[in-house]
Amino acid sequence: MIRNLLYTFFFTFSAMNINAQSIGIIGVFNSWSADAVMNTADNITYTLQNFTLLADGELKFRQDGAWTENWGAPDFPTGVATQGGANILGLAGTYDVTFNRITGVYSFVAISNNFEVIGLNGGFNNFGATVPMATADGITYKIIDYHFDGNGVNFVKDTPSTTVWGGIAFPSGNATVGGPTIPLTAGFYNVDFNKNTLAYNFVSVPISIIGDAAIDFATDIDMTTTDGINFTLNNQGLIGGKSLKFRANSGWDTNWGGTEFPTGTAVPSGLNEIIVDISGTYDITFNRLTGAYAFTLITNTFPIISINGTVMQTTDGVTYTLVNQSFTSPNLVQFKDPINSTTFWGATAFPTGTAIFGSADAISIPTGFYNVTFNRTTGAYSFLNTNNVSIGLIGSFNGWSGDVVLETTDNINYALQNFTFAETGELKFRQDGAWINNWGAADFPIGIATQGGANILGLAGTYNVFFNRLTGDYVFTLITGVYPVVSNNGMVMQTTNGVVYTSPNQSFDTVTQVQFNDPTNPNTVWGATAFPSGTAVAGSSDKIDVPPGFFNLTFNRTTGAYSFAVVPISIIGPGLSDWNTDVSLDSADYGFNSSKMNVVFVGGDIKFRANADATISWGGSTTFPTGTATTSGAGNITVPAGTYSVSFNRVTGAYSFSVLSTTSFDKSRLALFPNPTTTTFAINGAFEKVQVYSITGQLVKTFTKTIANQNLTIADLKSGVYFVKAVDASNIEKTSKLIKQ
């Protein structure tokens, strides 16, 4: 139980600390390619506005456009996604999407777009309730892969008054109001309808085969049909020992797999791929309703050769190969034709030799990995030990890049001496510095890793590491001690010495009560009440009230000293100075809004960034003097030469460069009281006009003909920093800063 809790804590910590991530949505709507990138201001909460799904379909969240980090769950429109979880079944519609990378919480909030609802009814539902179609613009309406199990169909708008469109043509035509029922025949169709032109199309859903048994898993080969249910593909060449699947619309939303060959019943969304036994030319049939399929062999292209039960590959029927094939003891092998038990070749020499047709001899293969070749005509063979296979360790300890290579003498057993994890974090074994072959498991320090298994949670310390590439067995033998774990608010902190712990750029959305604790020992806690700094007392039940904001946390496990330092926002770039010098902004609301008066710019590109580090930065806007920067940091903001008062909101990315200088904000020239205030403020003097500006430069309040010490109400404004500009009877302007609590 403790180990599971630890995994949760550490996984959260690991996910939180890989900064500047891109999170996108991928799924059927974009054929599982080219992620729809979400927006973020803190690399924790990601949003996407007005996101339209034209049809029901599966989707997932993933990081940096790769499958290494992906999240899913079975719930919609809200849920908690988990790493590698199930695909989310999104329903057609337009949504505002929110996703929290740390907690996995997501929501798809349907938004009203005032588009008319248009749908279908017909023989498939006895002309009953309208089946709605999806639209992104209120003009073109679509429904994807819909099963019409009856004849005849109409387009229908139910509100504000019922309108029915029909037509005489099928599968395409132009509808008319009150026209006859469209003579649709039963089947599966992709349907589109244009509300303005009344043009419609019913396209029979294409079924294809895909896989390396045909070409590859990126290329579909379409089948033909006359009824949208039964599909055929004739004279198709297939490669033995490789696999394929059936799928609809050239996408993975609807696909079928199976375990039998040459005939069987495919399972919708089945994980299994159909493995072709024999290379040759086939006639293929598939019924998408029942899943029944058949592969009828027309010609046997090349004879089949297998070794140890594994089919070898060939392009000419003469030379056969296997790449990186593993052999485990005992390994007495022959070359065989698995279709004809009387066709086999035997020998005894290793690693090379000439096999004799019909010989009962068997080759003894030492345990290991080999590239195997065999010539069916001459009987010549070779087993080449794959001596260049590299196994390395990769994980949060090295930012998931630059493998730490293990040593080996046999390409099976790998070892690494005196390896130190400075911090607790996740890791994996992988081959040749690539993700094609990687191993993981849930256990530490001993376990059996599997291909593509879970990340291993390694505890801080120094170890001797052992890994067996054949069996997956691994051992981390501790040499020096593991650092104690400290967390705050459930977030595991970082340490390199077991004394000073840090948690950079941690965000708090609401007032949060925080203690420091050891999640492995519920009796080890430190409590306090002071904020933003103080000394926590071991065993105290006190909690620190932390306001909403962005903080760099530090905690000393020995002394109990702690601090919550507001994450500084700065400006950097040649438009200010250079790419090495930061100018820090000030914040009065714990890092949400930052500003600085009278900043001199020489002209050119700049960025905003947090903690004077490029990990979290904002740029990518072309507007000036106001605009919205993106958190990806891609691109810069161009600022003309001049002196500006700068403001920036790290949540929204909104920025403003104002020409008001520091003399304009001199409090001695315009006295505001009380300041800070909660509801009203007054000025020691009479003015023709008093204006209140938000920190982004937006005018939010105007008062005219004010008298000295008059109470001016701002109770309706949100808490934050404002600028007050007053104009007297002589048209002289005076400006000062006001804080609304």
Side-chain angles (χ1 to χ4, degrees), residues 325-355:
Q325 179 69 23
S326 66
F327 293 87
T328 57
S329 184
N331 298 304
L332 294 175
V333 302
Q334 290 181 319
F335 298 97
K336 299 180 178 180
D337 182 340
I339 307 302
N340 187 344
S341 61
T342 64
T343 303
F344 57 90
W345 293 258
T348 58
F350 178 85
T352 62
T354 301

PDB file of all heavy atoms in Angstrom, residues 325-355:
ATOM      1  N   GLN A 325      16.887 -12.086 -33.311  1.00  0.00           N
ATOM      2  CA  GLN A 325      16.075 -13.176 -32.784  1.00  0.00           C
ATOM      3  C   GLN A 325      16.696 -13.724 -31.502  1.00  0.00           C
ATOM      4  O   GLN A 325      17.897 -13.968 -31.435  1.00  0.00           O
ATOM      5  CB  GLN A 325      15.952 -14.292 -33.823  1.00  0.00           C
ATOM      6  CG  GLN A 325      15.154 -15.493 -33.379  1.00  0.00           C
ATOM      7  CD  GLN A 325      13.677 -15.184 -33.221  1.00  0.00           C
ATOM      8  OE1 GLN A 325      13.190 -14.238 -33.822  1.00  0.00           O
ATOM      9  NE2 GLN A 325      12.982 -15.958 -32.433  1.00  0.00           N
ATOM     10  N   SER A 326      15.862 -13.915 -30.474  1.00  0.00           N
ATOM     11  CA  SER A 326      16.378 -14.441 -29.207  1.00  0.00           C
ATOM     12  C   SER A 326      16.209 -15.958 -29.158  1.00  0.00           C
ATOM     13  O   SER A 326      15.233 -16.512 -29.671  1.00  0.00           O
ATOM     14  CB  SER A 326      15.643 -13.807 -28.024  1.00  0.00           C
ATOM     15  OG  SER A 326      14.284 -14.197 -28.019  1.00  0.00           O
ATOM     16  N   PHE A 327      17.180 -16.628 -28.534  1.00  0.00           N
ATOM     17  CA  PHE A 327      17.144 -18.069 -28.337  1.00  0.00           C
ATOM     18  C   PHE A 327      17.411 -18.352 -26.864  1.00  0.00           C
ATOM     19  O   PHE A 327      18.329 -17.791 -26.271  1.00  0.00           O
ATOM     20  CB  PHE A 327      18.203 -18.769 -29.193  1.00  0.00           C
ATOM     21  CG  PHE A 327      17.951 -18.677 -30.667  1.00  0.00           C
ATOM     22  CD1 PHE A 327      18.411 -17.584 -31.390  1.00  0.00           C
ATOM     23  CD2 PHE A 327      17.251 -19.667 -31.331  1.00  0.00           C
ATOM     24  CE1 PHE A 327      18.190 -17.494 -32.749  1.00  0.00           C
ATOM     25  CE2 PHE A 327      17.020 -19.581 -32.691  1.00  0.00           C
ATOM     26  CZ  PHE A 327      17.486 -18.485 -33.404  1.00  0.00           C
ATOM     27  N   THR A 328      16.579 -19.207 -26.284  1.00  0.00           N
ATOM     28  CA  THR A 328      16.759 -19.586 -24.883  1.00  0.00           C
ATOM     29  C   THR A 328      16.996 -21.086 -24.808  1.00  0.00           C
ATOM     30  O   THR A 328      16.489 -21.854 -25.623  1.00  0.00           O
ATOM     31  CB  THR A 328      15.518 -19.208 -24.051  1.00  0.00           C
ATOM     32  OG1 THR A 328      14.365 -19.837 -24.620  1.00  0.00           O
ATOM     33  CG2 THR A 328      15.307 -17.698 -24.041  1.00  0.00           C
ATOM     34  N   SER A 329      17.753 -21.488 -23.823  1.00  0.00           N
ATOM     35  CA  SER A 329      18.124 -22.906 -23.688  1.00  0.00           C
ATOM     36  C   SER A 329      16.909 -23.747 -23.324  1.00  0.00           C
ATOM     37  O   SER A 329      16.063 -23.310 -22.533  1.00  0.00           O
ATOM     38  CB  SER A 329      19.201 -23.035 -22.610  1.00  0.00           C
ATOM     39  OG  SER A 329      19.636 -24.365 -22.512  1.00  0.00           O
ATOM     40  N   PRO A 330      16.777 -25.028 -23.850  1.00  0.00           N
ATOM     41  CA  PRO A 330      17.675 -25.635 -24.840  1.00  0.00           C
ATOM     42  C   PRO A 330      17.333 -25.147 -26.247  1.00  0.00           C
ATOM     43  O   PRO A 330      16.182 -24.870 -26.550  1.00  0.00           O
ATOM     44  CB  PRO A 330      17.393 -27.126 -24.691  1.00  0.00           C
ATOM     45  CG  PRO A 330      15.974 -27.182 -24.249  1.00  0.00           C
ATOM     46  CD  PRO A 330      15.750 -25.968 -23.396  1.00  0.00           C
ATOM     47  N   ASN A 331      18.356 -25.071 -27.115  1.00  0.00           N
ATOM     48  CA  ASN A 331      18.180 -24.506 -28.441  1.00  0.00           C
ATOM     49  C   ASN A 331      18.712 -25.447 -29.521  1.00  0.00           C
ATOM     50  O   ASN A 331      19.762 -25.217 -30.099  1.00  0.00           O
ATOM     51  CB  ASN A 331      18.898 -23.157 -28.553  1.00  0.00           C
ATOM     52  CG  ASN A 331      18.329 -22.135 -27.589  1.00  0.00           C
ATOM     53  OD1 ASN A 331      17.148 -21.867 -27.623  1.00  0.00           O
ATOM     54  ND2 ASN A 331      19.174 -21.591 -26.735  1.00  0.00           N
ATOM     55  N   LEU A 332      18.020 -26.522 -29.775  1.00  0.00           N
ATOM     56  CA  LEU A 332      18.361 -27.424 -30.879  1.00  0.00           C
ATOM     57  C   LEU A 332      17.394 -27.120 -32.007  1.00  0.00           C
ATOM     58  O   LEU A 332      16.184 -27.335 -31.889  1.00  0.00           O
ATOM     59  CB  LEU A 332      18.247 -28.888 -30.434  1.00  0.00           C
ATOM     60  CG  LEU A 332      19.265 -29.327 -29.373  1.00  0.00           C
ATOM     61  CD1 LEU A 332      18.976 -30.748 -28.914  1.00  0.00           C
ATOM     62  CD2 LEU A 332      20.682 -29.231 -29.926  1.00  0.00           C
ATOM     63  N   VAL A 333      17.911 -26.562 -33.106  1.00  0.00           N
ATOM     64  CA  VAL A 333      17.023 -26.044 -34.140  1.00  0.00           C
ATOM     65  C   VAL A 333      17.328 -26.661 -35.493  1.00  0.00           C
ATOM     66  O   VAL A 333      18.445 -27.113 -35.770  1.00  0.00           O
ATOM     67  CB  VAL A 333      17.136 -24.510 -34.240  1.00  0.00           C
ATOM     68  CG1 VAL A 333      16.813 -23.855 -32.906  1.00  0.00           C
ATOM     69  CG2 VAL A 333      18.513 -24.091 -34.724  1.00  0.00           C
ATOM     70  N   GLN A 334      16.273 -26.650 -36.349  1.00  0.00           N
ATOM     71  CA  GLN A 334      16.371 -26.998 -37.758  1.00  0.00           C
ATOM     72  C   GLN A 334      15.653 -25.918 -38.560  1.00  0.00           C
ATOM     73  O   GLN A 334      14.852 -25.136 -38.018  1.00  0.00           O
ATOM     74  CB  GLN A 334      15.714 -28.351 -38.046  1.00  0.00           C
ATOM     75  CG  GLN A 334      16.429 -29.566 -37.497  1.00  0.00           C
ATOM     76  CD  GLN A 334      15.694 -30.846 -37.867  1.00  0.00           C
ATOM     77  OE1 GLN A 334      14.466 -30.914 -37.831  1.00  0.00           O
ATOM     78  NE2 GLN A 334      16.456 -31.881 -38.243  1.00  0.00           N
ATOM     79  N   PHE A 335      15.934 -25.865 -39.851  1.00  0.00           N
ATOM     80  CA  PHE A 335      15.170 -25.025 -40.761  1.00  0.00           C
ATOM     81  C   PHE A 335      14.058 -25.893 -41.343  1.00  0.00           C
ATOM     82  O   PHE A 335      14.311 -27.010 -41.808  1.00  0.00           O
ATOM     83  CB  PHE A 335      16.072 -24.482 -41.872  1.00  0.00           C
ATOM     84  CG  PHE A 335      17.187 -23.610 -41.357  1.00  0.00           C
ATOM     85  CD1 PHE A 335      18.456 -24.137 -41.146  1.00  0.00           C
ATOM     86  CD2 PHE A 335      16.964 -22.277 -41.070  1.00  0.00           C
ATOM     87  CE1 PHE A 335      19.487 -23.344 -40.672  1.00  0.00           C
ATOM     88  CE2 PHE A 335      17.989 -21.475 -40.584  1.00  0.00           C
ATOM     89  CZ  PHE A 335      19.250 -22.010 -40.379  1.00  0.00           C
ATOM     90  N   LYS A 336      12.795 -25.361 -41.301  1.00  0.00           N
ATOM     91  CA  LYS A 336      11.658 -26.194 -41.697  1.00  0.00           C
ATOM     92  C   LYS A 336      10.665 -25.416 -42.534  1.00  0.00           C
ATOM     93  O   LYS A 336      10.582 -24.184 -42.461  1.00  0.00           O
ATOM     94  CB  LYS A 336      10.931 -26.723 -40.449  1.00  0.00           C
ATOM     95  CG  LYS A 336      11.779 -27.603 -39.541  1.00  0.00           C
ATOM     96  CD  LYS A 336      10.961 -28.068 -38.339  1.00  0.00           C
ATOM     97  CE  LYS A 336      11.789 -28.982 -37.442  1.00  0.00           C
ATOM     98  NZ  LYS A 336      11.013 -29.452 -36.261  1.00  0.00           N
ATOM     99  N   ASP A 337       9.885 -26.162 -43.328  1.00  0.00           N
ATOM    100  CA  ASP A 337       8.694 -25.640 -43.978  1.00  0.00           C
ATOM    101  C   ASP A 337       7.518 -26.018 -43.079  1.00  0.00           C
ATOM    102  O   ASP A 337       7.171 -27.203 -42.976  1.00  0.00           O
ATOM    103  CB  ASP A 337       8.521 -26.240 -45.368  1.00  0.00           C
ATOM    104  CG  ASP A 337       7.302 -25.681 -46.102  1.00  0.00           C
ATOM    105  OD1 ASP A 337       6.392 -25.138 -45.426  1.00  0.00           O
ATOM    106  OD2 ASP A 337       7.258 -25.788 -47.340  1.00  0.00           O
ATOM    107  N   PRO A 338       6.889 -25.037 -42.369  1.00  0.00           N
ATOM    108  CA  PRO A 338       5.842 -25.389 -41.400  1.00  0.00           C
ATOM    109  C   PRO A 338       4.587 -25.965 -42.043  1.00  0.00           C
ATOM    110  O   PRO A 338       3.761 -26.555 -41.351  1.00  0.00           O
ATOM    111  CB  PRO A 338       5.545 -24.051 -40.705  1.00  0.00           C
ATOM    112  CG  PRO A 338       5.946 -23.013 -41.705  1.00  0.00           C
ATOM    113  CD  PRO A 338       7.102 -23.580 -42.446  1.00  0.00           C
ATOM    114  N   ILE A 339       4.460 -25.825 -43.370  1.00  0.00           N
ATOM    115  CA  ILE A 339       3.282 -26.349 -44.062  1.00  0.00           C
ATOM    116  C   ILE A 339       3.483 -27.818 -44.429  1.00  0.00           C
ATOM    117  O   ILE A 339       2.541 -28.610 -44.478  1.00  0.00           O
ATOM    118  CB  ILE A 339       2.983 -25.512 -45.319  1.00  0.00           C
ATOM    119  CG1 ILE A 339       2.893 -24.024 -44.961  1.00  0.00           C
ATOM    120  CG2 ILE A 339       1.693 -25.972 -45.974  1.00  0.00           C
ATOM    121  CD1 ILE A 339       1.833 -23.713 -43.919  1.00  0.00           C
ATOM    122  N   ASN A 340       4.726 -28.187 -44.690  1.00  0.00           N
ATOM    123  CA  ASN A 340       5.037 -29.546 -45.144  1.00  0.00           C
ATOM    124  C   ASN A 340       6.063 -30.160 -44.199  1.00  0.00           C
ATOM    125  O   ASN A 340       7.235 -29.788 -44.205  1.00  0.00           O
ATOM    126  CB  ASN A 340       5.579 -29.510 -46.580  1.00  0.00           C
ATOM    127  CG  ASN A 340       5.758 -30.901 -47.168  1.00  0.00           C
ATOM    128  OD1 ASN A 340       5.769 -31.910 -46.450  1.00  0.00           O
ATOM    129  ND2 ASN A 340       5.906 -30.960 -48.485  1.00  0.00           N
ATOM    130  N   SER A 341       5.626 -31.099 -43.386  1.00  0.00           N
ATOM    131  CA  SER A 341       6.476 -31.679 -42.351  1.00  0.00           C
ATOM    132  C   SER A 341       7.650 -32.483 -42.905  1.00  0.00           C
ATOM    133  O   SER A 341       8.585 -32.810 -42.173  1.00  0.00           O
ATOM    134  CB  SER A 341       5.641 -32.573 -41.428  1.00  0.00           C
ATOM    135  OG  SER A 341       5.059 -33.647 -42.163  1.00  0.00           O
ATOM    136  N   THR A 342       7.628 -32.804 -44.220  1.00  0.00           N
ATOM    137  CA  THR A 342       8.732 -33.576 -44.806  1.00  0.00           C
ATOM    138  C   THR A 342       9.821 -32.680 -45.389  1.00  0.00           C
ATOM    139  O   THR A 342      10.818 -33.169 -45.917  1.00  0.00           O
ATOM    140  CB  THR A 342       8.203 -34.510 -45.907  1.00  0.00           C
ATOM    141  OG1 THR A 342       7.655 -33.723 -46.974  1.00  0.00           O
ATOM    142  CG2 THR A 342       7.145 -35.453 -45.363  1.00  0.00           C
ATOM    143  N   THR A 343       9.597 -31.368 -45.314  1.00  0.00           N
ATOM    144  CA  THR A 343      10.575 -30.429 -45.862  1.00  0.00           C
ATOM    145  C   THR A 343      11.336 -29.775 -44.721  1.00  0.00           C
ATOM    146  O   THR A 343      10.813 -28.900 -44.021  1.00  0.00           O
ATOM    147  CB  THR A 343       9.880 -29.354 -46.725  1.00  0.00           C
ATOM    148  OG1 THR A 343       9.129 -29.995 -47.754  1.00  0.00           O
ATOM    149  CG2 THR A 343      10.902 -28.417 -47.346  1.00  0.00           C
ATOM    150  N   PHE A 344      12.585 -30.215 -44.512  1.00  0.00           N
ATOM    151  CA  PHE A 344      13.410 -29.645 -43.448  1.00  0.00           C
ATOM    152  C   PHE A 344      14.880 -29.849 -43.784  1.00  0.00           C
ATOM    153  O   PHE A 344      15.252 -30.684 -44.617  1.00  0.00           O
ATOM    154  CB  PHE A 344      13.065 -30.276 -42.091  1.00  0.00           C
ATOM    155  CG  PHE A 344      13.206 -31.766 -42.045  1.00  0.00           C
ATOM    156  CD1 PHE A 344      14.406 -32.368 -41.674  1.00  0.00           C
ATOM    157  CD2 PHE A 344      12.130 -32.591 -42.386  1.00  0.00           C
ATOM    158  CE1 PHE A 344      14.529 -33.751 -41.635  1.00  0.00           C
ATOM    159  CE2 PHE A 344      12.251 -33.974 -42.350  1.00  0.00           C
ATOM    160  CZ  PHE A 344      13.451 -34.560 -41.975  1.00  0.00           C
ATOM    161  N   TRP A 345      15.726 -29.035 -43.132  1.00  0.00           N
ATOM    162  CA  TRP A 345      17.169 -29.075 -43.337  1.00  0.00           C
ATOM    163  C   TRP A 345      17.842 -29.160 -41.963  1.00  0.00           C
ATOM    164  O   TRP A 345      17.474 -28.423 -41.033  1.00  0.00           O
ATOM    165  CB  TRP A 345      17.673 -27.812 -44.037  1.00  0.00           C
ATOM    166  CG  TRP A 345      17.218 -27.619 -45.452  1.00  0.00           C
ATOM    167  CD1 TRP A 345      17.921 -27.845 -46.583  1.00  0.00           C
ATOM    168  CD2 TRP A 345      15.942 -27.122 -45.890  1.00  0.00           C
ATOM    169  NE1 TRP A 345      17.195 -27.536 -47.703  1.00  0.00           N
ATOM    170  CE2 TRP A 345      15.965 -27.076 -47.307  1.00  0.00           C
ATOM    171  CE3 TRP A 345      14.776 -26.709 -45.230  1.00  0.00           C
ATOM    172  CZ2 TRP A 345      14.888 -26.637 -48.064  1.00  0.00           C
ATOM    173  CZ3 TRP A 345      13.710 -26.280 -45.972  1.00  0.00           C
ATOM    174  CH2 TRP A 345      13.763 -26.251 -47.387  1.00  0.00           C
ATOM    175  N   GLY A 346      18.831 -30.033 -41.841  1.00  0.00           N
ATOM    176  CA  GLY A 346      19.524 -30.186 -40.577  1.00  0.00           C
ATOM    177  C   GLY A 346      21.020 -30.028 -40.720  1.00  0.00           C
ATOM    178  O   GLY A 346      21.583 -30.182 -41.815  1.00  0.00           O
ATOM    179  N   ALA A 347      21.699 -29.694 -39.590  1.00  0.00           N
ATOM    180  CA  ALA A 347      23.156 -29.553 -39.557  1.00  0.00           C
ATOM    181  C   ALA A 347      23.585 -29.529 -38.100  1.00  0.00           C
ATOM    182  O   ALA A 347      22.744 -29.558 -37.178  1.00  0.00           O
ATOM    183  CB  ALA A 347      23.586 -28.284 -40.278  1.00  0.00           C
ATOM    184  N   THR A 348      24.900 -29.461 -37.860  1.00  0.00           N
ATOM    185  CA  THR A 348      25.413 -29.397 -36.483  1.00  0.00           C
ATOM    186  C   THR A 348      26.360 -28.228 -36.269  1.00  0.00           C
ATOM    187  O   THR A 348      26.578 -27.806 -35.127  1.00  0.00           O
ATOM    188  CB  THR A 348      26.161 -30.697 -36.124  1.00  0.00           C
ATOM    189  OG1 THR A 348      27.225 -30.908 -37.059  1.00  0.00           O
ATOM    190  CG2 THR A 348      25.211 -31.889 -36.153  1.00  0.00           C
ATOM    191  N   ALA A 349      26.951 -27.670 -37.335  1.00  0.00           N
ATOM    192  CA  ALA A 349      27.961 -26.626 -37.182  1.00  0.00           C
ATOM    193  C   ALA A 349      27.336 -25.318 -36.695  1.00  0.00           C
ATOM    194  O   ALA A 349      26.193 -24.986 -37.041  1.00  0.00           O
ATOM    195  CB  ALA A 349      28.680 -26.403 -38.513  1.00  0.00           C
ATOM    196  N   PHE A 350      28.132 -24.562 -35.895  1.00  0.00           N
ATOM    197  CA  PHE A 350      27.703 -23.255 -35.399  1.00  0.00           C
ATOM    198  C   PHE A 350      28.937 -22.368 -35.303  1.00  0.00           C
ATOM    199  O   PHE A 350      30.003 -22.850 -34.887  1.00  0.00           O
ATOM    200  CB  PHE A 350      27.047 -23.389 -34.017  1.00  0.00           C
ATOM    201  CG  PHE A 350      26.641 -22.048 -33.442  1.00  0.00           C
ATOM    202  CD1 PHE A 350      25.418 -21.492 -33.776  1.00  0.00           C
ATOM    203  CD2 PHE A 350      27.494 -21.338 -32.600  1.00  0.00           C
ATOM    204  CE1 PHE A 350      25.044 -20.245 -33.261  1.00  0.00           C
ATOM    205  CE2 PHE A 350      27.130 -20.108 -32.091  1.00  0.00           C
ATOM    206  CZ  PHE A 350      25.908 -19.552 -32.423  1.00  0.00           C
ATOM    207  N   PRO A 351      28.917 -21.114 -35.712  1.00  0.00           N
ATOM    208  CA  PRO A 351      27.741 -20.312 -36.075  1.00  0.00           C
ATOM    209  C   PRO A 351      27.399 -20.334 -37.553  1.00  0.00           C
ATOM    210  O   PRO A 351      26.404 -19.739 -37.954  1.00  0.00           O
ATOM    211  CB  PRO A 351      28.153 -18.910 -35.630  1.00  0.00           C
ATOM    212  CG  PRO A 351      29.627 -18.887 -35.861  1.00  0.00           C
ATOM    213  CD  PRO A 351      30.106 -20.261 -35.511  1.00  0.00           C
ATOM    214  N   THR A 352      28.242 -20.975 -38.391  1.00  0.00           N
ATOM    215  CA  THR A 352      27.957 -21.045 -39.823  1.00  0.00           C
ATOM    216  C   THR A 352      28.077 -22.477 -40.293  1.00  0.00           C
ATOM    217  O   THR A 352      28.706 -23.325 -39.647  1.00  0.00           O
ATOM    218  CB  THR A 352      28.924 -20.155 -40.629  1.00  0.00           C
ATOM    219  OG1 THR A 352      30.259 -20.639 -40.443  1.00  0.00           O
ATOM    220  CG2 THR A 352      28.840 -18.704 -40.192  1.00  0.00           C
ATOM    221  N   GLY A 353      27.479 -22.766 -41.445  1.00  0.00           N
ATOM    222  CA  GLY A 353      27.565 -24.101 -42.001  1.00  0.00           C
ATOM    223  C   GLY A 353      26.639 -24.255 -43.179  1.00  0.00           C
ATOM    224  O   GLY A 353      26.060 -23.282 -43.672  1.00  0.00           O
ATOM    225  N   THR A 354      26.488 -25.524 -43.631  1.00  0.00           N
ATOM    226  CA  THR A 354      25.583 -25.838 -44.737  1.00  0.00           C
ATOM    227  C   THR A 354      24.636 -26.935 -44.287  1.00  0.00           C
ATOM    228  O   THR A 354      25.057 -28.047 -43.945  1.00  0.00           O
ATOM    229  CB  THR A 354      26.357 -26.303 -45.976  1.00  0.00           C
ATOM    230  OG1 THR A 354      27.269 -25.273 -46.378  1.00  0.00           O
ATOM    231  CG2 THR A 354      25.407 -26.614 -47.123  1.00  0.00           C
ATOM    232  N   ALA A 355      23.341 -26.602 -44.234  1.00  0.00           N
ATOM    233  CA  ALA A 355      22.330 -27.566 -43.805  1.00  0.00           C
ATOM    234  C   ALA A 355      22.001 -28.526 -44.949  1.00  0.00           C
ATOM    235  O   ALA A 355      22.020 -28.140 -46.127  1.00  0.00           O
ATOM    236  CB  ALA A 355      21.075 -26.839 -43.339  1.00  0.00           C
TER     237      ALA A 355
END
